[in-house]
Amino acid sequence: MSLVNASRSELTKQFTTAMWWVLAVVLLAYVGVTAGGLSAVFGAVASGTLPGGTTSGAGVSPTSLPPLIYSLATSVGYVFPLLIGTLLVTNEFRHKTLTPTLLATPRRGVALGGKLAAGVVMGVLYAAVALVAAVGIGAAALAAFGIDTRLGETDTWAMIGRIVASFVLWTLIGVGVGTLVRNQVAAVVGVLAFTQFLEPIARTVATLVDGVSGVTAYLPGAASDALVGSSIYATMGAGGAAPLAWWGGGVVLLAYAAVFLGLGYLTSWRRDVA
């Protein structure tokens, strides 16, 4: 029962602070505006409301448009579960609460396990928020232009399930990053720099330089896109190499989580509390 108690304690910490819902509101707005805007633009072009262009000219057919819009949940929103996972650990170091946490749960492996369990719950929660924005708003906008939303197809719901899995894995990666990097500012800045600048630049360069694309397919963002099965970045030509199989993308994300967690546990987590 110690793991159950540790998990309950971690969830109590999350839901008694404002950060989780602030990030959730920003995620809802960010993904919702992006999905609604792109759905309206592509839908208007596909329906002929905006003459002089076609969605196929942008590499998008009316059939592939719904999965593309729904996948915005992860392709633009994955940084949020990554951040909440990182904050789940680094808040302990920042606010000096790790000592009472470890006094309540002396076995550090169990304490970390509680954070992982809480991370799974937060990942599912944030996935639900992102899906409300991407699928809810996106499907409504597509339907307004007479485009089939494909919500009655099993492939669409399978992709939605993979989006949830991707959010959970991103949260676990965040827990690993927070475990490895104790300083909250350094961890958050590193997460934002890599996800918003370094990887997008690397994936763009991969489309221009031979021999690089095979490496960028294994970057976490590219692996996440592969797991989901659709991505606005791949459609825009910034995907680099041919994507991995969906299960391969999941394995790569799980490997990132395992490596960060393993290194964090062996180095930072087992050290004396600062």
Side-chain angles (χ1 to χ4, degrees), residues 40-104:
V41 171
F42 280 123
V45 172
S47 64
T49 305
L50 289 178
T54 61
T55 55
S56 59
V60 183
S61 66
T63 303
S64 64
L65 187 53
L68 175 66
I69 297 299
Y70 304 156
S71 69
L72 289 170
T74 48
S75 57
V76 304
Y78 71 92
V79 68
F80 291 90
L82 182 58
L83 281 174
I84 199 66
T86 303
L87 294 174
L88 200 149
V89 182
T90 56
N91 275 339
E92 298 269 29
F93 295 110
R94 179 187 177 189
H95 298 293
K96 308 296 183 182
T97 58
L98 186 58
T99 296
T101 294
L102 294 178
L103 287 174

Side-chain angles (χ1 to χ4, degrees), residues 18 46 60 72 74 82 85 140 146 149 163-164 183 189 203 221 225 259 262 269:
V60 183
L72 289 170
T74 48
L82 182 58
T149 62
I163 288 173
V164 175
N183 185 283
V189 170
R203 294 177 68 182
D225 290 344
V259 168
W269 191 250

Side-chain angles (χ1 to χ4, degrees), residues 4 13 30 175-176 178 209 252 259:
V4 174
K13 294 175 188 177
Y30 183 38
V175 174
V209 180
V252 170
V259 168

Side-chain angles (χ1 to χ4, degrees), residues 5 28 54 63 87 102 171 205 215 224 227-228 237 248 252 259:
N5 292 335
L28 181 67
T54 61
T63 303
L87 294 174
L102 294 178
T171 309
V205 170
V215 177
S224 178
L227 171 59
V228 172
V252 170
V259 168

Side-chain angles (χ1 to χ4, degrees), residues 2-214:
S2 56
L3 180 58
V4 174
N5 292 335
S7 303
R8 185 183 299 114
S9 173
E10 294 301 329
L11 288 173
T12 300
K13 294 175 188 177
Q14 289 299 303
F15 293 123
T16 52
T17 60
M19 183 56 68
W20 77 270
W21 64 261
V22 170
L23 283 177
V25 169
V26 176
L27 171 63
L28 181 67
Y30 183 38
V31 175
V33 169
T34 305
L38 287 179
S39 297
V41 171
F42 280 123
V45 172
S47 64
T49 305
L50 289 178
T54 61
T55 55
S56 59
V60 183
S61 66
T63 303
S64 64
L65 187 53
L68 175 66
I69 297 299
Y70 304 156
S71 69
L72 289 170
T74 48
S75 57
V76 304
Y78 71 92
V79 68
F80 291 90
L82 182 58
L83 281 174
I84 199 66
T86 303
L87 294 174
L88 200 149
V89 182
T90 56
N91 275 339
E92 298 269 29
F93 295 110
R94 179 187 177 189
H95 298 293
K96 308 296 183 182
T97 58
L98 186 58
T99 296
T101 294
L102 294 178
L103 287 174
T105 311
R107 297 170 61 186
R108 297 200 177 199
V110 174
L112 183 58
K115 292 188 178 297
L116 291 174
V120 171
V121 174
M122 298 305 295
V124 172
L125 175 62
Y126 275 62
V129 172
L131 287 169
V132 166
V135 180
I137 297 175
L142 292 175
F145 290 98
I147 297 175
D148 182 9
T149 62
R150 298 184 61 183
L151 289 177
E153 301 180 10
T154 56
D155 286 347
T156 299
W157 288 100
M159 187 186 74
I160 289 174
R162 295 196 299 271
I163 288 173
V164 175
S166 177
F167 264 71
V168 170
L169 289 171
W170 275 114
T171 309
L172 297 183
I173 291 173
V175 174
V177 171
T179 305
L180 182 61
V181 183
R182 288 189 168 200
N183 185 283
Q184 186 172 82
V185 174
V188 171
V189 170
V191 163
L192 293 176
F194 183 84
T195 59
Q196 306 304 303
F197 297 101
L198 297 181
E199 180 170 355
I201 291 173
R203 294 177 68 182
T204 301
V205 170
T207 64
L208 306 173
V209 180
D210 293 336
V212 178
S213 58

